[in-house]
Amino acid sequence: QVQVVESGGGLVQPGGSLRLSCAASGFTFSRYAMSWYRQAPEKERELVAAITSGGITNYADSMKGRFTISRDNAKNTVYLEMNSLKPEDTAVYYCNARSVFISYWGQGTQVTVSS
């Protein structure tokens, strides 16, 4: 059974940090590109960061220098380290696993940045 499960969301003050985790199972994790997306209420889902099976990373411009994506293939887990958080980062954050043939989505984890 395929599972993609995010965790680590919560409430944080502006300027604070948060680390999200995405645990995957049921497929060959090391062969999948992994990514984080986010979606604020009544806004479209947008790419936050991505990492290929070979470890090459890509970030949306607004996240560069603040967010870091990484993966641990031994643990079948991808991480998103978020620093210098801003209120506009508030959204549901989703983990995605992608192959040539199919994508798997997690259920999302809420991140709220507020004072």
Side-chain angles (χ1 to χ4, degrees):
Q1 183 179 57
V2 171
Q3 289 189 312
V4 180
V5 182
E6 303 96 332
S7 62
L11 176 64
V12 63
Q13 292 185 309
S17 299
L18 211 57
R19 189 194 196 200
L20 306 183
S21 298
C22 173
S25 61
F27 60 95
T28 306
F29 178 83
S30 62
R31 296 182 180 179
Y32 280 68
M34 303 297 297
S35 60
W36 289 93
Y37 289 75
R38 70 184 186 187
Q39 188 168 25
E42 299 184 3
K43 294 185 177 180
E44 66 181 20
R45 189 171 297 188
E46 65 174 339
L47 177 69
V48 174
I51 184 167
T52 70
S53 60
I56 300 172
T57 59
N58 185 51
Y59 301 91
D61 286 342
S62 62
M63 290 77 166
K64 288 182 179 178
R66 298 191 300 125
F67 292 7
T68 302
I69 188 171
S70 62
R71 65 191 298 160
D72 186 339
N73 288 344
K75 297 182 181 294
N76 285 0
T77 302
V78 63
Y79 305 95
L80 183 68
E81 182 72 35
M82 305 186 293
N83 300 307
S84 301
L85 284 163
K86 306 173 182 179
E88 50 264 46
D89 295 319
T90 296
V92 177
Y93 284 71
Y94 297 92
C95 181
N96 174 260
R98 176 179 57 83
S99 74
V100 173
F101 305 104
I102 196 169
S103 292
Y104 302 118
W105 290 94
Q107 81 291 341
T109 185
Q110 176 71 48
V111 173
T112 302
V113 185
S114 177
S115 59

